Amino acid sequence: MKSHTIFDWSRAARTGIPEVVFAEHKPLDMLLDIINSHIEEAKPLLVTRLSPKQINALEDLPVNIDTLARTASYLAEDPVNAPKLAIVSAGTSDAPIAREAYVCARFFGLDAFLIQDVGVAGLWRLEKHLPTLQEMPLVIAVAGMEGALFSVLGGLLHAPIIAVPTSVGYGVSQGGEAALSSALASCAPGVLTVNIDNGFGASAAAAKILLHAKSNED
Amino acid sequence: MKSHTIFDWSRAARTGIPEVVFAEHKPLDMLLDIINSHIEEAKPLLVTRLSPKQINALEDLPVNIDTLARTASYLAEDPVNAPKLAIVSAGTSDAPIAREAYVCARFFGLDAFLIQDVGVAGLWRLEKHLPTLQEMPLVIAVAGMEGALFSVLGGLLHAPIIAVPTSVGYGVSQGGEAALSSALASCAPGVLTVNIDNGFGASAAAAKILLHAKSNED
Amino acid sequence: MKSHTIFDWSRAARTGIPEVVFAEHKPLDMLLDIINSHIEEAKPLLVTRLSPKQINALEDLPVNIDTLARTASYLAEDPVNAPKLAIVSAGTSDAPIAREAYVCARFFGLDAFLIQDVGVAGLWRLEKHLPTLQEMPLVIAVAGMEGALFSVLGGLLHAPIIAVPTSVGYGVSQGGEAALSSALASCAPGVLTVNIDNGFGASAAAAKILLHAKSNED
Amino acid sequence: MKSHTIFDWSRAARTGIPEVVFAEHKPLDMLLDIINSHIEEAKPLLVTRLSPKQINALEDLPVNIDTLARTASYLAEDPVNAPKLAIVSAGTSDAPIAREAYVCARFFGLDAFLIQDVGVAGLWRLEKHLPTLQEMPLVIAVAGMEGALFSVLGGLLHAPIIAVPTSVGYGVSQGGEAALSSALASCAPGVLTVNIDNGFGASAAAAKILLHAKSNED
Amino acid sequence: MKSHTIFDWSRAARTGIPEVVFAEHKPLDMLLDIINSHIEEAKPLLVTRLSPKQINALEDLPVNIDTLARTASYLAEDPVNAPKLAIVSAGTSDAPIAREAYVCARFFGLDAFLIQDVGVAGLWRLEKHLPTLQEMPLVIAVAGMEGALFSVLGGLLHAPIIAVPTSVGYGVSQGGEAALSSALASCAPGVLTVNIDNGFGASAAAAKILLHAKSNED
Amino acid sequence: MKSHTIFDWSRAARTGIPEVVFAEHKPLDMLLDIINSHIEEAKPLLVTRLSPKQINALEDLPVNIDTLARTASYLAEDPVNAPKLAIVSAGTSDAPIAREAYVCARFFGLDAFLIQDVGVAGLWRLEKHLPTLQEMPLVIAVAGMEGALFSVLGGLLHAPIIAVPTSVGYGVSQGGEAALSSALASCAPGVLTVNIDNGFGASAAAAKILLHAKSNED
Amino acid sequence: MKSHTIFDWSRAARTGIPEVVFAEHKPLDMLLDIINSHIEEAKPLLVTRLSPKQINALEDLPVNIDTLARTASYLAEDPVNAPKLAIVSAGTSDAPIAREAYVCARFFGLDAFLIQDVGVAGLWRLEKHLPTLQEMPLVIAVAGMEGALFSVLGGLLHAPIIAVPTSVGYGVSQGGEAALSSALASCAPGVLTVNIDNGFGASAAAAKILLHAKSNED
Amino acid sequence: MKSHTIFDWSRAARTGIPEVVFAEHKPLDMLLDIINSHIEEAKPLLVTRLSPKQINALEDLPVNIDTLARTASYLAEDPVNAPKLAIVSAGTSDAPIAREAYVCARFFGLDAFLIQDVGVAGLWRLEKHLPTLQEMPLVIAVAGMEGALFSVLGGLLHAPIIAVPTSVGYGVSQGGEAALSSALASCAPGVLTVNIDNGFGASAAAAKILLHAKSNED
């Protein structure tokens, strides 16, 4: 039996988000098929959650690989005159997910930038970034452990916050459940949540908010 | 010992969301103190999660009570020229939470409206509302049980979706955990989640997105 | 001490389902013993959940190996004039379990076929298969993540649905719990559930329904 | 604001199952509205999960109330020449759910009957019913506590089993989780599961299997 | 059979903490026996977790009742020249547990005082108390919901923090699990945790630290 | 720093159970120290939960290794005139734990024997062993998956049953939780439970019951 | 429909344990039927888990009611020359379950006695009972909260321990899960566990061990 | 993009605890950067949770490696005239976490020492250390499995106890949840808890208590 993967060329037109391929669980030949067909059609593509082994296999292809973010992109253009998006992360261990959100957001056309290592254990490190953050239309916050950063930002900023709990932690925070429930139970209004480690999802929603929601209001 | 509740008159200025009082767990005298002080100062107020007993105690006050939404509002103005917000709910049992989101959204200044009883068990009931929903900048979806509505809307609409899982259900869906995990694990990009039964939180985030995020972009 | 595995030659006569050997946790020599004894007796056999290492060890035996489904079959006949069974899966990552269900169903004597990549994030991909699905006496649905496919099919089709949640996912859907609770809590009547990743179990039940239940009714 | 419940008069035509109203969480006036509109239209109706208080309020209506099953039916006809369905329950505490399944199954047009108090703690009580059960096209098994009945029936019978775990129990079996996982993890092939206490769902699936699946095969 | 409760008169000598009676689950006559025997012996006593019904029954006894803290004390002396202990709480709903901690701490001989309503949703409310808190040898922090207060205090103060998660919340924070895991997973060093709602336990440990640990060091 | 392991030579005298060394988590040099010191003192020893790597390292020592049970024993004597103990297991995957229980029981001085592959999916396989089992003073039952065997034996036999849930399974039975809750929630009186995979613990309790309890009664 | 409860007069002969009726979930008329039929047949009976309301309804019947244990017995004889059984409980809140175990054990023919209020928070209270406990063939231990008593007794005594975790506690110990896992994970060999609050089950197993196991060994 | 890790040179001044680097999840080059910058600045440093691979990479650096504790320290001075701290552990498998606590405590300036292998299964092994422990101002207790040691020490000692549950165990105690809930639910007052395996956190809190709390009291 031969099973074809159905590419969804008209997806962007339908939902406003270009299809991003999730590489986890995908066999290598299926992954290469997908990438090569986009190269042949000269269509933009972003692949996320690449394993080190998958990354090695893509080395000779004309794609842009980000090892920390575990992504590969093809024909991604740099955003011009795009809405700004701040991506704030708590600890060095949250860097890969913050970076995934950053790469996805720029692929979706947002002028994203990173503010890192500003966890709640040292609130003074966050302080100097507050003036910048107060100007943002939207903030993505990335944190593992107990996820206190979500409520702290929610209590200080006008902007809505998209919380990305990460699976960084051990004991009761192993797998990200503690950070997830902190995001959902946050006492600060305006905190929205995506699944654990879902940097892609946070940026997809950010793009829908900053690109779609705006144009539909007018 | 006498413990004073500290009212936070400048809150709206700081976070863009007027303080909404959560009535659950609050003794009746504390609740009446809060409401009366707002009436004296002629300041707008919204109270949520009122118990039937608390609602009875407010009957003689000049507040606007919504029994289904379990809310009381004071000096709420009707939104004019405000961004639209669709609040879609799955079953009749989700009505109280959808209504809480509706009352809060209008209190925050959004032109919110309700589309109810369009659960996934009968997709044809949702179909006729799709043209309207395709025009919306943002959609709040309210569903209990297995919460399939979140992914269905996320897969059909351009708008970002704020999912409100409800505690409606029994067995594995008791308390809302099944609907919550459906929202978080949704395969459709652009679905954001708030805590179970948190209609207020969904509308607070909607207000931050549609009122704040927009103005900051310009 | 020598422990003999007791082969259950008369099992098919008792429960209507020929014994299928579950290879996981089984040492290689025990597995080879089982297969060789069936070859000596020329009795049909199906082995499921083979590891890559076990599959390598079977290479020289006269069995039919399906790498994606992780199965090996011996003396399986192609079903003739058999009831039809549609096996519908949501994403490419659900393919191995859908394929296990397919191989098992055909081994049990059903005319099974696969419809793949029709997840809820793109409902239009499912649409074109609806006329075919409306004709089916029974449908197996295979989905991970949030498992919204189960309710969508249950709401659209006359046929009973056997839901197979898969362990595909991460964060709250890791291990398949989110998809499982979506199947159990489905608001659409007629959705029945088997254990996570249990493609075999779904097809065994399908065979009992389509072969046994029918004959007993007459 | 006045919210109308949308009645789904054509539902039976679409999914093969007449709409059954789930009374839990529904306010009394909404419930009476639904029942009265069916009486006016002379359309059959079944209401499940009635509370004692709701049952009292229905006393003067021309409906058929079953206190143990917590159901009210209107214009239900007795099945003639219908497929048989055995509903087997483990303990006296499982009786309400078994009875709900029985009332629903007969409303859907099946010749259902009950075999009760045949739990695994006394296998000899089950023994005398085995000849009858061996003739059935399908069996619904209702059990709480540890739910061992599901596997025992699955290992003894040709018929597929629909397992209904009940919330009967305490400690680790409180709420029905232990019985549910026994049903899902059953080592006997052909066991399918519905949500805890979902007697209605088991009978809806049984009706789809015995009435729809059969006719579609021919 | 007559079962005597064994009073443990020498307990304070052994562990440094006078016995405090936990009233929950205790029948009224047993409770009255305990209190009366202390009155007869003129021995100090503290009772915690009194129900409203139990409180009513104690009205005519020469004990000091605190309705908010749900405590009754007998022969409690006011601490003189005692170590200071700050008890900080996040929201008005945490007041009963903060008050229980306050009453217990003073009964154990500490100069405890309360700082309330300084939750993370409004960090500026906490700010003005920081100079006082920086002087404290030990701080008890009481918070429900997502419990972000624990990490914020741990990151700002020299003092060790004893976190008391409260069962205040709904959805994922119902029962206090979210606040508990935030306390345990806190990224700020020096945060120690007691069981949910265990105001007594926090103060007992505080007394051991400030009274015992100090004297043993010298 | 050098940390000595304290051997507890007089343990058997105190609790009636000779010390059995649990090899998991133990570094190889610590394990060899323990074994060699027993060889030097000519004292009986049993080691359980050996990894394949640890087993390799013991190859040249004068100990008796059982690869399936993952045990090594030294100076174990064969029981003479000892109480009988039946160890019954459900599936071939439960064999390692059943074998661990067997080796431990014989080391403790019981005349243990194994009955294997008699799971509930085929009750007829258990049937022929019932006369033997009815004669036993005590039965250990070993089962994973849904653990229905515990209740079936408890309902059929006079003997008390010690249930050993195993971690064999996937989906809801992964890790053994489903089998454990079946054991604890069993509707059959006389079923006692030990931790998942704890074959050693079951036999230690069996030895205490059959050797100690008996002698103390007289 | 009239559903008869099937009384199992020959149960004692089959499993060695006379049937004990579990009153929870049972309607009052069914309960009275069961008791009256035993009175008519002059057959011994024990009913457990009676609610206060059920107890009131039994007041005029010739049964022996124990309010603390929540039991009613009929024709229970006092054990003569029976094996001794110590039932040890940790706190005053564990008394109802300890008492249930006591009443059941005596009904089954054991010379049971209670040692209460000997929890681990005050080990010196346990100390004086150790000489008695060292003589026992078997000990039932009843504890809630963290259940440390199980391991302490298991480490000190020759006798096997049957642990009964109780649902006494709050926060992480609410419902008894913490005490249950302490029992199962006990580092002391010879600790066996029953379901939370299952005093009946502990005594049923004790009776099987002390009455049956002994006779079968000879 | 190049992301710099921000070193927090003034941290000790702010919170009283020098920054300790948590090596888990950190890439090797980031780890070496951190260590080398401290060596260049001649600033004390402690690194915890090193993997075997990371330890190998540090071999040529002038740091002090403890393989059991999985730590590397630089410029750690031996404490002089420092408060004493007893670290008590239950089993040999708890040794790595006890050792991590020991290394951290000495780095923070406490005169820590270890008492090992005194688990509750053999209370007599703990007995001989009681006179020493009774003199301590504070005790850290390290235990996995069921964690009974926490309550036993809490019931015997004047000193407050910091409980460190370890992830040692299997079945219900796998991952440390059973030991954690035993610590939190302890019936002995004065037991405080940190996250599972958090030896560092226990010692950081101990340092805050013994060094900071004391000085602030005076």
Side-chain angles (χ1 to χ4, degrees), chain D residues 38-105:
Chain D
H38 280 74
I39 292 173
E40 280 162 36
E41 303 257 350
K43 284 182 181 296
L45 174 73
L46 181 63
V47 185
T48 61
R49 298 288 177 99
L50 288 160
S51 66
K53 202 174 145 190
Q54 289 172 323
I55 286 178
N56 285 345
L58 304 188
E59 260 178 8
D60 298 335
L61 294 178
V63 293
N64 209 341
I65 289 175
D66 188 312
T67 317
L68 181 62
R70 299 172 50 198
T71 56
S73 62
Y74 175 70
L75 291 190
E77 286 177 43
D78 225 49
V80 182
N81 283 335
K84 278 188 172 315
L85 173 70
I87 299 169
V88 180
S89 67
T92 54
S93 311
D94 303 313
I97 301 302
R99 184 77 186 159
E100 182 192 287
Y102 169 86
V103 171
C104 290

Side-chain angles (χ1 to χ4, degrees), chain C residues 28 31-32 51-61 65:
Chain C
L28 200 52
L31 192 63
L32 290 171
S51 66
K53 204 173 145 190
Q54 289 172 324
I55 286 178
N56 284 345
L58 304 189
E59 260 177 8
D60 297 335
L61 294 179
I65 289 175

Side-chain angles (χ1 to χ4, degrees), chain C residues 124-198:
Chain C
W124 52 86
R125 291 182 294 189
L126 177 60
E127 212 168 18
K128 68 167 176 251
H129 298 289
L130 285 179
T132 306
L133 289 170
Q134 286 291 15
E135 302 295 312
M136 291 295 111
L138 184 66
V139 172
I140 289 178
V142 182
M145 309 282 285
E146 91 289 38
L149 182 64
F150 308 135
S151 289
V152 168
L153 287 177
L156 290 172
L157 302 182
H158 269 86
I161 312 290
I162 298 178
V164 188
T166 68
S167 57
V168 168
Y170 62 93
V172 297
S173 59
Q174 188 162 39
E177 284 290 333
L180 173 63
S181 57
S182 279
L184 289 165
S186 176
C187 53
V191 177
L192 297 162
T193 310
V194 295
N195 198 0
I196 294 161
D197 287 341
N198 194 1

Side-chain angles (χ1 to χ4, degrees), chain A residues 102-172:
Chain A
Y102 169 85
V103 171
C104 291
R106 294 190 76 84
F107 182 74
F108 294 144
L110 299 176
D111 185 8
F113 65 102
L114 287 159
I115 297 177
Q116 296 187 290
D117 263 315
V118 292
V120 171
L123 270 180
W124 52 87
R125 291 181 296 187
L126 177 60
E127 211 167 18
K128 69 165 176 255
H129 299 287
L130 285 179
T132 306
L133 290 171
Q134 285 291 15
E135 302 296 310
M136 291 295 112
L138 184 67
V139 172
I140 289 178
V142 183
M145 308 282 287
E146 90 289 39
L149 182 63
F150 308 135
S151 289
V152 168
L153 287 176
L156 290 172
L157 302 182
H158 270 85
I161 312 289
I162 299 178
V164 188
T166 69
S167 56
V168 168
Y170 61 93
V172 297

Side-chain angles (χ1 to χ4, degrees), chain E residues 15-18 20 85 101 104-105 108 110 140 162 198-210, chain H residues 158 160 188-192:
Chain E
T15 66
I17 296 290
V20 173
L85 174 70
C104 291
F108 294 145
L110 299 176
I140 289 178
I162 299 179
N198 193 1
F200 154 72
S203 287
K208 283 196 162 193
I209 288 171
L210 294 175
Chain H
H158 269 85
V191 177
L192 297 161

